[in-house]
Amino acid sequence: MSDRTLIVGNWKMNLNTSEASVLLHRLEERIKAHQDIEVVLAPSTLVIQPLSLQIDRHKFRLAAQNAFFKDEGPFTGEVSFTQLRDLVHYVIIGHSERRLHFEESLGIVRDKVAASFRNDIIPILCVGETQSERRAGETRQVLHDQVTSALSNLTANEVEDMVIAYEPVWAISTFGGILAKPDEVKKEMDFIRHQVRELYGAKAAKRVRVLYGGSVDDQIVGGYLEIDGCDGVLVGAASLNYHKFAGIVDRAYHINRQPKEKPNEPDEK
Ligand code: 13P
């Protein structure tokens, strides 16, 4: 767990090796290292190795977008957490694109979270409801099922270290891109923490980092970062544009510098 604002760029299946290197170079020119902000880049698996040699580790950490839950063996085409463990700090697990396009079940996501901890990689677990689930009033049930199954068999210490990203599928730019209102997002983030508290207690619920993702860019990121209990953002399309992604980091920096509102103190009698 950390008090730093976490900004994660998910490049998805974009950029070849040289394009990824150019984007990293531009980001390194534009983004300064800030003590209270952690910036994580999640490129495609193909380019993790070359970027790991180029990256300025004072500024950025690397994440994988996926990995397979077995550590080694006859699984043609897969890359394991074990193979990634010295290259990345985080792995994104259970992204809606994997749940929907690759039919990743609750059980597979749970096994990937366990494999991630087994290999000393911090999972960024993605949860979120589809538009039809939302319309059917099933959001809480979906979040409950996704959180409780993914977190089964963990220790409270592991849960404290992990990251959960609330990404309503209908808000993701390529799935519809409807902008979620920060007050609605806050309710679901609170619900996610509530689930963690039920399973692992108040300390884990307080320490687990909860992010928001869904069409976040430099113009609207402030509304989400200002949510009480929001530890950062998971950014898709805007993370491929260095102006926008650097703008998101700038915004986080300025928000962190705003004086925090003091809680009302009881009048002294
Ligand atoms: P967009 O920011 O493009 O909506 O993508 C969000 C996302 O899926 C990040 O993982």
Side-chain angles (χ1 to χ4, degrees), residues 10 12 92 95 97 126 167 171-174 213-216 234-238:
N10 177 5
K12 306 194 178 181
I92 297 172
H95 192 282
E97 287 151 18
C126 297
E167 291 207 313
I172 294 177
S173 60
T174 46
S215 299
V216 172
L234 177 53
V235 184

Side-chain angles (χ1 to χ4, degrees), residues 105-269:
S105 63
L106 296 176
I108 289 175
V109 171
R110 177 201 60 218
D111 290 349
K112 289 187 173 187
V113 171
S116 184
F117 280 118
R118 190 165 70 238
N119 287 286
D120 294 323
I121 302 175
I122 298 174
I124 301 174
L125 170 72
C126 297
V127 297
E129 78 286 0
T130 63
Q131 179 67 295
S132 60
E133 288 163 344
R134 181 189 186 211
R135 289 205 177 113
E138 293 168 354
T139 299
R140 293 285 164 97
Q141 188 61 49
V142 169
L143 294 179
H144 168 271
D145 293 351
Q146 290 179 343
V147 171
T148 50
S149 63
L151 268 53
S152 49
N153 306 329
L154 300 181
T155 66
N157 284 345
E158 287 172 335
V159 175
E160 283 176 26
D161 282 342
M162 70 183 288
V163 180
I164 302 178
Y166 173 52
E167 291 207 313
V169 179
W170 46 270
I172 294 177
S173 60
T174 46
F175 277 121
I178 301 168
L179 292 186
K181 297 194 181 76
D183 56 334
E184 287 171 358
V185 169
K186 177 176 174 12
K187 286 184 194 149
E188 306 314 337
M189 287 182 142
D190 287 349
F191 180 71
I192 289 167
R193 275 191 207 277
H194 171 75
Q195 293 302 311
V196 174
R197 185 162 50 240
E198 296 279 292
L199 294 164
Y200 289 99
K203 189 166 162 230
K206 185 164 182 277
R207 293 194 167 203
V208 66
R209 285 170 289 172
V210 181
L211 310 185
Y212 177 69
S215 299
V216 172
D217 66 17
D218 51 330
Q219 302 300 309
I220 61 166
V221 66
Y224 300 115
L225 289 177
E226 281 168 353
I227 296 172
D228 186 24
C230 176
D231 297 300
V233 285
L234 177 53
V235 184
S239 70
L240 294 166
N241 176 313
Y242 68 95
H243 285 294
K244 289 187 182 176
F245 194 65
I248 289 170
V249 177
D250 287 346
R251 196 76 199 97
Y253 177 76
H254 288 294
I255 287 175
N256 286 357
R257 250 121 225 99
Q258 283 168 11
K260 297 266 182 293
E261 268 182 45
K262 276 197 180 160
N264 287 337
E265 289 182 16
D267 294 340
E268 280 189 36
K269 292 259 158 70

Side-chain angles (χ1 to χ4, degrees), residues 56-121:
D56 178 346
R57 284 164 204 272
H58 297 294
K59 291 189 180 176
F60 303 110
R61 282 176 161 164
L62 285 173
Q65 297 172 17
N66 178 42
F68 191 54
F69 56 83
K70 296 279 190 187
D71 290 343
E72 60 181 13
F75 303 101
T76 302
E78 293 295 325
V79 172
S80 71
F81 289 86
T82 310
Q83 291 171 306
L84 289 166
R85 64 183 293 159
D86 296 327
L87 292 171
V88 300
H89 207 86
Y90 295 94
V91 176
I92 297 172
I93 297 176
H95 192 282
S96 56
E97 287 151 18
R98 297 220 51 90
R99 294 185 197 256
L100 295 168
H101 300 319
F102 301 96
E103 296 175 8
E104 277 194 10
S105 63
L106 296 176
I108 289 175
V109 171
R110 177 201 60 218
D111 290 349
K112 289 187 173 187
V113 171
S116 184
F117 280 118
R118 190 165 70 238
N119 287 286
D120 294 323
I121 302 175

